[in-house]
Amino acid sequence: MKKNILEIFSKTFNYEEGVRTFFSPGRVNLIGEHTDYNGGNVFPCAISFGTYGAISLRDDKVVRMYSGNFVDKGVISFNIDNLRNEKEHDWANYPKGVIEILRQNGYNVQQGFDMVVFGNIPNGAGLSSSASLELLMAVMINEIFKFNIDRVELVKFCQMSENDFIGVNCGIMDQFSIGMGQKNRAILLDCNTLIYKYSTVDLKDEVIVIANTNKRRGLADSKYNERRRECEKALRELQGELKINSLGELTEEEFEKNKHLIKDEIRIKRAKHAVYENQRTLKAVNALEENDIVTFGKLMNESHSSLRDDYEVTGKELDTLVELALNHEGTIGSRMTGAGFGGCTVSIIKKDKVEDFINVVGQKYKEIIGYDADFYVANIGEGTREI
Ligand code: GLA
């Protein structure tokens, strides 16, 4: 891939000397969905699919960017002192936003550069191609300008860019898992305190399978921000009597005792998901650490039911994939992953049944939904880095 990205660079800009190459992964969340912005825990990992990039500094203020995934957009060019979100700059707004946020925070990016990117994360699949691109830009800038910015700081800048420059009110999970990923390890992250620990995912007889519904979704036009608002309102209602800063601080019992404070059935369901999912995540990590993969799988299944019934962010495609998975003998656990409404499921599947799983679930999915799902056996890889 390093060779490929260098080739794209030299074809686009007609030189190759002094070019540095980087890789930034995508992510899959094993459990802890829609908990990050509710002050709860998540348990994601970086995957081996991701975004490759090549970059070289220029001696003027011109920035030129090209993506091998959006060839029809051609080379996008702008001045380093003119960083605005421009509709026609499309994908380039993601890296542009990162530069702007770095500048706003005192990092003097004054010099232009040439850059190409090429990613193999299926677009719009909910595996965080946007956060992957953001971290790619952040790490590249950090390296070529020798800023020496701490990795967690970079992660925060990338989230800030997605929130303020792109306008998507996401939590910190995606950027954190991509920036901080480690091989064969998932990250238990408390999104309230940003305290985290790595947990080895040492599956012997099972593999992680990601299945893409191929139903496209965009976060910005999904009901993502609506769910956030519902949870924020539920929190305010609870705060009428409880001294809490986030839903993530509540146990299931505390929630049940106080849910009458929330004056709307829908909001009770949303808050219930946030509280129970957070506790489920902690239980799941404990189970994994005790090598109890069966309990881990059960908690994944419960997570999906809660996202379907209480949080209502699944949809026919995701529910069909999970239901088909649960009917297959190779499945230990299965759930939607990411924001929902489309995108992917993540499943733990017995190694010797994977082929049959993909055939059977794939075929039935097509019969029911009318088009194919895609399946990938996921490897847990390292975070964003120079290659
Ligand atoms: C998206 C957001 C994350 C997180 C998930 C849901 O991926 O970017 O911050 O909220 O949805 O868990």
Side-chain angles (χ1 to χ4, degrees):
M1 274 316 270
K2 182 172 167 160
K3 209 172 131 240
N4 292 0
I5 193 76
L6 279 171
E7 247 171 55
I8 301 178
F9 191 99
S10 68
K11 258 200 204 138
T12 311
F13 298 124
N14 292 318
Y15 70 97
E16 210 182 291
E17 215 160 290
V19 177
R20 291 170 70 176
T21 51
F22 292 79
F23 172 73
S24 186
R27 69 96 187 90
V28 67
N29 187 21
L30 299 179
I31 194 161
E33 215 65 80
H34 287 279
T35 46
D36 60 351
Y37 55 83
N38 283 311
N41 291 278
V42 293
F43 193 51
C45 49
I47 53 177
S48 46
F49 293 114
T51 318
Y52 293 81
I55 189 164
S56 177
L57 273 176
R58 300 169 54 96
D59 341 323
D60 56 13
K61 285 184 170 274
V62 175
V63 178
R64 296 189 294 173
M65 292 182 173
Y66 175 82
S67 168
N69 298 95
F70 298 98
V71 275
D72 55 314
K73 302 281 173 209
V75 174
I76 295 168
S77 190
F78 51 89
N79 189 291
I80 195 78
D81 291 331
N82 182 16
L83 301 169
R84 283 173 302 118
N85 187 328
E86 289 174 63
K87 199 164 184 280
E88 62 279 15
H89 283 180
D90 199 70
W91 69 271
N93 285 311
Y94 288 89
K96 210 198 243 186
V98 172
I99 312 171
E100 171 61 11
I101 295 292
L102 283 168
R103 281 172 56 127
Q104 283 174 13
N105 283 275
Y107 293 99
N108 231 347
V109 187
Q110 293 285 352
Q111 213 177 322
F113 54 83
D114 291 330
M115 169 171 113
V116 300
V117 300
F118 181 70
N120 55 10
I121 307 174
N123 234 323
L127 302 174
S128 279
S129 53
S130 57
S132 174
L133 183 54
E134 287 157 5
L135 257 305
L136 181 75
M137 186 77 270
V139 171
M140 280 174 155
I141 297 273
N142 194 29
E143 291 301 322
I144 60 173
F145 288 93
K146 301 195 178 72
F147 286 143
N148 233 336
I149 307 170
D150 172 70
R151 191 49 78 97
V152 176
E153 280 306 297
L154 283 183
V155 162
K156 289 188 200 160
F157 288 144
C158 289
Q159 184 202 11
M160 233 180 261
S161 170
E162 179 105 23
N163 292 167
D164 302 343
F165 195 88
I166 302 296
V168 177
N169 218 355
C170 67
I172 199 162
M173 170 172 75
D174 303 344
Q175 289 80 9
F176 200 96
S177 47
I178 287 169
M180 300 292 287
Q182 287 193 357
K183 197 166 172 51
N184 293 333
R185 296 169 105 192
I187 310 171
L188 174 65
L189 170 69
D190 178 337
C191 299
N192 211 4
T193 58
L194 291 195
I195 292 173
Y196 63 97
K197 73 165 184 179
Y198 291 99
S199 194
T200 303
V201 183
D202 185 19
L203 301 176
K204 291 194 176 63
D205 305 320
E206 302 86 13
V207 289
I208 299 171
V209 174
I210 296 173
N212 187 356
T213 59
N214 282 323
K215 180 186 182 198
R216 292 289 294 269
R217 49 146 272 277
L219 263 190
D221 51 51
S222 73
K223 290 186 172 292
Y224 187 86
N225 287 348
E226 182 184 299
R227 291 294 176 278
R228 277 196 80 138
R229 280 196 302 276
E230 288 165 341
C231 285
E232 279 156 14
K233 187 150 186 204
L235 174 65
R236 280 198 299 278
E237 291 170 293
L238 289 166
Q239 283 168 331
E241 286 194 16
L242 299 180
K243 281 205 164 43
I244 51 167
N245 292 316
S246 73
L247 294 175
E249 289 170 34
L250 293 176
T251 61
E252 293 104 325
E253 294 74 28
E254 286 164 339
F255 176 75
E256 292 303 332
K257 236 196 278 164
N258 291 288
K259 64 181 182 193
H260 62 275
L261 297 170
I262 305 171
K263 295 297 172 215
D264 172 80
E265 282 307 314
I266 299 274
R267 282 199 300 279
I268 292 180
K269 292 207 300 184
R270 306 296 191 245
K272 180 180 176 200
H273 167 78
V275 171
Y276 278 67
E277 179 76 357
N278 181 40
Q279 297 299 327
R280 243 191 313 270
T281 306
L282 296 172
K283 289 176 198 162
V285 176
N286 281 338
L288 190 71
E289 285 175 353
E290 281 163 18
N291 281 322
D292 183 357
I293 194 74
V294 172
T295 301
F296 190 89
K298 273 196 191 127
L299 291 162
M300 287 176 83
N301 300 342
E302 283 174 23
S303 165
H304 186 84
S305 306
S306 175
L307 288 156
R308 182 190 59 213
D309 303 335
D310 287 334
Y311 220 63
E312 296 181 273
V313 291
T314 58
K316 187 171 182 209
E317 298 79 5
L318 285 166
D319 291 337
T320 301
L321 269 186
V322 167
E323 208 177 302
L324 292 172
L326 295 185
N327 286 334
H328 191 275
E329 54 170 345
T331 305
I332 308 281
S334 186
R335 57 182 289 279
M336 59 150 266
T337 184
F341 306 105
C344 292
T345 64
V346 59
S347 309
I348 311 267
I349 307 296
K350 290 183 192 143
K351 223 179 237 168
D352 56 350
K353 300 276 194 278
V354 170
E355 226 184 281
D356 192 65
F357 172 88
I358 294 176
N359 285 338
V360 172
V361 173
Q363 194 188 332
K364 289 193 179 146
Y365 180 82
K366 189 168 186 184
E367 275 165 32
I368 298 168
I369 301 296
Y371 51 83
D372 282 317
D374 288 318
F375 296 84
Y376 314 90
V377 173
N379 292 310
I380 304 181
E382 300 276 334
T384 311
R385 62 195 181 272
E386 186 157 13
I387 50 170

